[in-house]
Amino acid sequence: MIYITRRETFNAAHRLFKPEWNDEQNLKVFGKCSNPNWHGHNYVLYVTLKGEVDSETGFLINLKDLSKIVKSRVIEKLDHKNINLEVDFMKGIIPSTENLAIGIWKQIEKPVSELGAHLHCVKISETENNFAEYYG
Ligand code: NI
C-alpha cells in the first residue's frame, strides 16, 4: 500500500455564524471568524490517496488526473469566492475548517475512486496553526 498527496491552495472569504443567533452570541462562540463583514483565509488543501503501485507506470495514479479533479470540483468553486454565499457544496453549512474538509471529501470521493485509487485523507489548513483532517 502506498499513499500519495497532492497539494493545492485557494483563497476564500467566509463567516462562521448561526443566523438564528445575534452578533453577540456569534462573537462569543466563533470569535473573530464571526465578523459580520466577512474575512478571508489562504487555505492549503492536501488530498491523499492510497492504493497499489502500477508496475507498468510506477505510479499509484497519474497526479495530473487527480489535479484535474481537485481543480474542477473544488478549487474553481472556492478560489476567490465567499464560501457562505457562492459555493454550492457548502450551502447551509457553517464553513468551519472541519466542515470544509468533509465537503471537499464528498466532492472528490467518487471521481477519485473512478481513477482506481482510494481517497485516504482530506487535510485542510486555514491558518499556519489550524488544520483539520477527514478520513471519511
Ligand atoms: Ni475564519
Side-chain angles (χ1 to χ4, degrees), residues 1-39:
M1 183 74 72
I2 190 107
Y3 297 78
I4 195 157
T5 299
R6 172 78 191 174
R7 176 184 178 273
E8 302 281 351
T9 61
F10 60 94
N11 312 315
H14 76 167
R15 179 189 177 199
L16 301 185
F17 76 112
K18 287 175 83 76
E20 59 268 38
W21 291 355
N22 63 28
D23 284 354
E24 194 189 3
Q25 279 176 298
N26 277 303
L27 184 68
K28 205 171 157 192
V29 173
F30 297 114
K32 281 200 281 188
C33 270
S34 78
N35 172 30
N37 289 320
W38 320 104
H39 65 279

Side-chain angles (χ1 to χ4, degrees), residues 91-106:
K91 273 246 158 72
I93 298 168
I94 295 175
S96 61
T97 318
E98 295 89 327
N99 282 339
L100 211 41
I102 294 167
I104 291 169
W105 176 287
K106 289 178 181 165

Side-chain angles (χ1 to χ4, degrees), residues 1-5 48-51 53 60 118 120-121 135:
M1 183 74 72
I2 190 107
Y3 297 78
I4 195 157
T5 299
T48 301
L49 310 187
K50 67 178 174 184
V53 176
L60 168 56
H118 294 284
H120 174 64
C121 177
Y135 294 89

Side-chain angles (χ1 to χ4, degrees), residues 21 23 51-52 63 68 91 94 105 110 123 133:
W21 291 355
D23 284 354
E52 300 299 335
L63 280 180
K68 269 186 214 160
K91 273 246 158 72
I94 295 175
W105 176 287
K110 193 165 173 258
K123 173 178 166 180
E133 292 167 277

